[in-house]
């Protein structure tokens, strides 16, 4: 009678089984890290956060909507002939803002309202032209003679309305610690860009309180951040000994950096000529407060704050020279995002190792 072959199951010794389990676990962790890297890399590229933005046109040109070809910035004549105002949607100290229409596209038309501030208006236009990038609202045209600027329209408006937007049913799925941390990363990315811009180190001076900061940025439909108002961007030039002062009035409150406050006490009245200048580290001081707004009070946001505690404490150093650069803050934010996404995807990994 022919005997059937017997298939023997190999029994691994306890130590060998333990090593095998550990090897499998490490392999799983490495695979997870690779997938996280691909995911985050894809996220930045697909959402327009990559360093090279393929949607950008050569200097002096723009693309809008689904149009594939680049068009030259609209001139005074083209703006007057082709742009139709729809309604006023905002007004500040320098300009009035109109929702408008150009070739069936919603656009934004900004016009100077105070002739005494025309230098600020023209400075903002100069910055807008020179800093066109993925971090800055898209310029569509301008008319210096009529003090008019035409830019891309973003229906979600400024960051002041972020929390209200996240309570709209359509966007409730965005109201997570992950998406909110991504907004904080975008914000710090803008600061990093301004501090190392093609023009040099620029300071975001329209930032004396949280509401003012939020009003300077737009929320895009795919939930990213663009800087919109560039009227107050003075240049720091350390090699030439040039620092800056944000305006000519006394600044008060804990939101502004210590070096922006009057240093000589109440007994000496404020005088602009006696006020010491400062550098871009004033922007760093404000990062924790702005990021705290972004993180909100959703599930997981306190864990994010815990991981950001050390870098935020460094941002609040009294001595500006001891504060980190925007690049270091950005690197730290990205590391925290990667760590927390990894832990969310594979809870208990640390304990298993």
């Amino acid at each position: 009678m022919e005997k059937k072959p017997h298939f023997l199951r190999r029994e691994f010794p306890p130590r060998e089984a333990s090593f095998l389990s550990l090897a499998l676990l490490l392999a799983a962790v490495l695979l997870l890290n690779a997938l996280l890297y691909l995911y985050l890399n894809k996220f930045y590229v697909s959402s327009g956060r990559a360093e090279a933005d393929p949607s950008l046109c050569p200097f002096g040109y723009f693309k809008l909507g689904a149009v594939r070809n680049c068009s030259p910035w609209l001139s005074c004549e083209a703006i007057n002939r082709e742009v139709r105002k729809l309604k006023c949607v905002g007004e500040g100290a320098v300009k009035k803002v109109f929702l408008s229409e150009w070739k069936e596209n919603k656009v934004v038309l900004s016009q100077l309202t105070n002739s005494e501030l025309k230098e600020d208006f023209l400075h903002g236009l100069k910055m807008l032209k020179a800093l066109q990038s993925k971090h800055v609202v898209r310029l569509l045209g301008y008319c210096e003679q009529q003090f008019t600027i035409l830019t891309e329209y973003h229906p979600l408006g400024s960051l002041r309305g972020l929390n209200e937007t996240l309570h709209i049913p359509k966007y409730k799925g965005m109201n997570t610690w992950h998406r909110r941390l991504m907004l904080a990363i975008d914000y710090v990315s803008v600061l990093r860009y301004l501090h190392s811009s093609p023009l040099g180190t620029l300071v975001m001076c329209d930032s004396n309180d949280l509401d003012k900061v939020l009003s300077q940025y737009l929320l895009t439909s795919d939930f990213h951040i663009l800087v919109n108002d560039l009227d107050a961007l003075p240049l720091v030039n350390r090699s030439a000994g040039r620092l800056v002062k944000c305006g000519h009035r006394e600044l008060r409150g804990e939101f502004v950096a210590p070096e922006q406050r009057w240093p000589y006490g109440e007994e000496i009245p404020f005088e602009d000529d006696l006020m010491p200048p400062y550098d871009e580290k004033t922007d760093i001081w404000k990062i924790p407060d702005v990021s705290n707004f972004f993180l909100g009070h959703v599930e997981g946001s306190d864990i994010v704050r815990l991981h950001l505690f050390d870098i935020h404490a460094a941002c609040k150093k009294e001595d500006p020279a001891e504060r980190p650069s925007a690049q270091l803050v950005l690197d730290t934010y990205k590391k925290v995002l990667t760590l927390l996404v990894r832990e969310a995807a594979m809870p208990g990994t640390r304990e298993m190792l």
Side-chain angles (χ1 to χ4, degrees):
M1 184 176 179
E2 184 179 353
K3 292 184 179 180
K4 294 182 180 180
H6 293 280
F7 295 95
L8 299 177
R9 185 174 65 181
R10 182 183 175 188
E11 297 290 341
F12 292 101
R15 180 175 295 180
E16 187 175 343
S18 176
F19 282 134
L20 181 61
S21 298
L22 183 59
L24 290 173
L25 177 60
L26 289 174
V29 171
L30 291 173
L31 178 60
L32 177 62
N33 285 338
L35 292 173
L36 279 172
Y37 173 81
L38 292 173
Y39 162 74
L40 292 173
N41 186 60
K42 181 181 179 182
F43 184 90
Y44 278 100
V45 173
S46 64
S47 60
R49 301 301 100 183
E51 287 303 320
D53 188 346
S55 69
L56 293 177
C57 295
F59 183 80
Y61 290 79
F62 71 92
K63 279 194 293 187
L64 192 61
V67 178
R68 299 182 64 181
N69 297 326
C70 293
S71 302
W73 286 338
L74 300 185
S75 63
C76 297
E77 181 184 359
I79 291 175
N80 292 332
R81 184 181 65 251
E82 301 172 9
V83 176
R84 181 170 65 95
K85 290 181 185 177
L86 298 179
K87 63 178 179 178
C88 179
V89 292
E91 183 173 2
V94 178
K95 52 187 178 284
K96 185 178 288 188
V97 180
F98 297 89
L99 174 63
S100 305
E101 191 174 55
W102 175 74
K103 294 186 176 180
E104 300 183 352
N105 293 292
K106 294 288 193 302
V107 294
V108 174
L109 188 72
S110 302
Q111 292 184 317
L112 178 69
T113 55
N114 186 346
S115 60
E116 295 181 359
L117 298 175
K118 63 182 180 181
E119 293 303 320
D120 292 339
F121 184 90
L122 293 175
H123 177 74
L125 173 58
K126 177 185 175 182
M127 294 293 103
L128 192 55
K129 290 193 289 185
L131 298 176
Q132 283 295 288
S133 69
K134 65 182 180 294
H135 302 291
V136 178
V137 68
R138 191 168 300 169
L139 178 64
L140 309 179
Y142 63 92
C143 179
E144 286 193 36
Q145 297 93 314
Q146 298 173 9
F147 297 98
T148 300
I149 300 173
L150 193 71
T151 54
E152 188 174 17
Y153 172 63
H154 293 278
L156 296 183
S158 80
L159 288 176
R160 284 189 294 190
L162 174 64
N163 288 324
E164 290 76 10
T165 297
L166 289 171
H167 283 96
I168 297 173
K170 179 181 177 181
Y171 299 111
K172 279 189 175 180
M174 297 286 194
N175 196 16
T176 64
W177 70 263
H178 176 267
R179 179 60 65 172
R180 285 175 169 271
L181 179 54
M182 287 304 308
L183 290 174
I185 288 174
D186 275 359
Y187 168 68
V188 179
S189 295
V190 173
L191 292 183
R192 188 275 312 267
Y193 175 67
L194 294 178
H195 291 178
S196 57
S197 82
L199 301 177
T201 301
L202 300 168
V203 181
M204 195 69 181
C205 265
D206 264 345
S207 56
N208 298 336
D209 57 61
L210 179 61
D211 191 65
K212 188 64 174 175
V213 171
L214 299 175
S215 71
Q216 308 302 302
Y217 296 86
L218 294 172
L219 181 64
T220 68
S221 296
D222 61 348
F223 270 70
H224 287 290
I225 291 175
L226 297 173
V227 62
N228 180 52
D229 196 330
L230 304 174
D231 295 344
L233 276 184
L235 179 69
V236 170
N237 188 338
R238 286 190 183 82
S239 60
R242 184 195 304 164
L243 299 177
V244 305
K245 287 191 286 187
C246 291
H248 305 287
R249 298 178 182 179
E250 182 178 2
L251 301 179
R252 297 175 178 268
E254 294 299 315
F255 187 83
V256 296
E259 64 271 22
Q260 292 184 281
R261 302 173 209 149
W262 179 243
Y264 302 119
E266 294 290 338
E267 61 277 7
I268 301 178
F270 176 83
E271 285 188 41
D272 183 44
D273 291 339
L274 297 179
M275 181 66 198
Y278 34 83
D279 62 17
E280 77 281 3
K281 291 300 183 70
T282 58
D283 289 334
I284 305 300
W285 171 272
K286 299 159 189 172
I287 287 176
D289 300 291
V290 180
S291 289
N292 187 55
F293 167 81
F294 285 133
L295 292 175
H297 299 286
V298 298
E299 182 180 356
S301 61
D302 287 340
I303 298 298
V304 179
R305 287 186 179 90
L306 183 63
H307 281 80
L308 296 177
F309 180 85
D310 288 342
I311 191 67
H312 282 173
C315 291
K316 290 294 188 179
K317 294 281 189 180
E318 288 286 321
D319 183 354
E322 294 181 4
R323 294 174 206 152
S325 65
Q327 181 66 65
L328 181 56
V329 178
L330 179 60
D331 292 342
T332 303
Y333 274 34
K334 288 181 177 180
K335 288 177 182 176
V336 168
L337 173 64
T338 302
L339 172 66
L340 292 178
V341 170
R342 179 192 298 134
E343 290 184 351
M346 197 171 183
T349 301
R350 184 180 299 169
E351 290 78 3
M352 293 170 69
L353 290 173

